[in-house]
Amino acid sequence: MTRLSNYLLPTEKQAPADAEATSHKLMVRAGLVRQLGAGLWTWLPGGWKVHRKVEQIIREELDAIGAQEMSMPVMNPAELWQKTGRYGLSEQFTLADRRGAPMVLAMTHEEPVTFHVAQYVRSYRDLPLILYHLQTKERDEPRPRAGVLRTREFVMKDSYSFDRDAEGLERSYQLHVSAYDRIFDRSGLEWYRVESDVGMMGGSGAHEYMAPCPAGENEVALAPGYAANVEVASAQAASVQLPPALEAPQQVHTPGLTTVADVSEALGVSPGALLKAYPVMVSGRGLVLVMLRGDHHVNDIKLANALAAEARPARPDEFEEVIGPAGFIGPFGVDVPILLDDAVAAGGYVTGANEPDRHLRGVQPGRDFAFERADVRRVEAGDTVNGHSIRIEAAIEVGNIFKLGTRYTEPLGATYLDEQGRQQPVVMGSYGIGPARIVAAAVEQYADERGISWPKSIAPFDVHLVSIGKANTPERELAESVYAELRESGLDVIYDDRDGGPGQKFADAELLGCPVRCTVGRRTAESGEVETQTRRGREAGSVPLDGAAKAAADLWRSLP
RNA sequence: CGGGGCGUAGCGCAGCCUGGUUAGCGCGCGUGCUUUGGGAGCACGAGGUCCCCGGUUCGAAUCCGGGCGCCCCGACCA
């Protein structure tokens, strides 16, 4: 029984003043969620229905690959996290129980799940295992934002695979790829599976599932047959016109010109004909000079991966003595290791001269300075992959899959005896999905000026039945009977039985965004027809009053 | 962590600079009548710790100090 006259769906004409993202505005306006505090959101009944529909899709597809659902506590003894070295992370909520024992609120569940696996798994016969749960996560995010998109408390589906070896992990990983592909397809999202950074977790492979939308916090590089997080993307750079080569570097006067734009303009060459020098301090190794084309940018994640170490930009006081004055540094005559970006083609470039107000023309890598090569630049729109131009889109990460290896199983002692009786560490994978982000991404991707337009698989209701006219009228009687029929047909129906004007009811229906709207009013009584409208495309139609529910169900089924 | 902004009724806002009746407007809400196919009309009405604490003052939403909360941009983000 879902009658709008008695259902908590507080719609608003105006979005909260502090809302920026479309999904934030619309989910609040449609009465689906309300904020309790920074990064803390309540899901109201309508919103929670959507969330649960997403959860259900996830359950079905994970169960289908043999994953087993369980549930682990949000509150954990700190000891577990101390063992894995994850106690005291800045995003971790901590507390103490009445005896003063330190506890943590889980931000993910590698520790508890591995604890149990370590207890249970003895033999190779106990593996593989895939375990999952849908559980609240707590993270003290530095900056919660965009409504439900980045919160401090949220439900996550996290699954964990436990295998005997790398090949087993690969199988579990591929099972998740197939399940995830189906989950995001069924959710009705536009999505990409992209290569992602394995970060400092020491994993051996990772992908992220990205849903393009304007409020997204990530960027993905896309081309036919290619999709990668910009953090790790590689592509062929567009070539650049270089001036004729010189016999030797030649000094030019560039007073006060410290930026690529200034120098290229003053010398009449394109920015790509410059080599930009980016001095970094590499942990455990000291100063390194990164050189890349003037029109390119350093990608710090790719740089850290290329160096296999953390790096940070060097301060002037760290490089001026050894290299040259800030704004005029270059690779010529410098006694510092040089890392040259892969996109720098052979030829003569303009670089800093390591003297104030001076640059050099015609500096050739190899001839004029020694270097090591690495791909450390951020890809740019217009770069190519296999001849196809890439584009860069904002996207929200809705899921990830990660080959963890033994990062947690070793410290927590999850081992088994193999066929030869040797003790081996269990090999682990972890796999997350944020249902709330699926919901928000769906809102973002399909909203129009009237409101939300849900994919039919996750809409809060299948059909929004609008009754026009006062209570105790023949048309209201008709609406009541259509409502009863629709419910009997198995559809999930919200019935607007309020005493309100038609404009208000239609506006609310379009704001809420259920795939099919049915209208019953005086016209219905006169014409013997129930009017229908699909939310997506707003296509109007009508079905005979006699058998209206079945016809509406057929219409619903016919939608993509 | 750096930068910016905001806190006044359920939502959106004005008032604050330049202190002074009973703190106001739109939407929403209640009652009554009219209205009922695209956010209705009239009338009456309810609803406020003006974020909190302290200070200045005869008097503070308004000025000063401290605190808290929230948002945006950046940094960060297993």
Side-chain angles (χ1 to χ4, degrees), chain A residues 274-278 288-294 296 298 303 306-307 331 336-347 349 351 363-367 369-377:
Chain A
L274 272 63
L275 284 188
K276 183 191 284 186
Y278 182 71
V288 169
L289 191 58
V290 180
M291 300 297 307
L292 72 168
R293 244 166 62 178
H296 289 158
V298 171
L303 177 61
L307 293 165
V336 166
I338 292 173
L339 194 63
L340 184 68
D341 182 63
D342 282 346
V344 178
Y349 290 85
T351 72
V363 176
Q364 295 192 11
R367 184 191 70 183
F369 64 92
F371 57 83
E372 277 184 52
R373 282 282 191 182
D375 176 13
V376 297
R377 77 182 179 96

Side-chain angles (χ1 to χ4, degrees), chain A residues 2 15 32 46 71 167 232 293 348 430 441 471 515 538:
Chain A
T2 314
L32 304 177
S71 182
E167 296 87 83
V232 298
R293 244 166 62 178
S430 86
R538 301 184 64 237

Side-chain angles (χ1 to χ4, degrees), chain A residues 30-77:
Chain A
L32 304 177
V33 294
R34 281 291 163 95
Q35 184 170 14
L36 190 64
L40 300 172
W41 287 81
T42 294
W43 292 77
L44 298 176
W48 194 240
K49 285 198 67 165
V50 179
H51 196 284
R52 280 172 45 207
K53 285 191 177 181
V54 172
E55 289 180 16
Q56 189 54 31
I57 291 171
I58 293 170
R59 284 197 172 92
E60 288 170 13
E61 294 301 339
L62 283 174
D63 290 348
I65 62 167
Q68 303 170 52
E69 185 172 2
M70 58 193 292
S71 182
M72 291 175 279
V74 175
M75 201 189 318
N76 291 195

Side-chain angles (χ1 to χ4, degrees), chain A residues 403-425:
Chain A
K403 292 181 191 173
L404 270 178
T406 58
R407 166 68 179 81
Y408 296 96
T409 51
E410 278 180 357
L412 293 171
T415 60
Y416 68 97
L417 294 179
D418 67 14
E419 290 96 323
Q420 282 75 41
R422 293 173 307 202
Q423 182 167 292
Q424 303 281 4

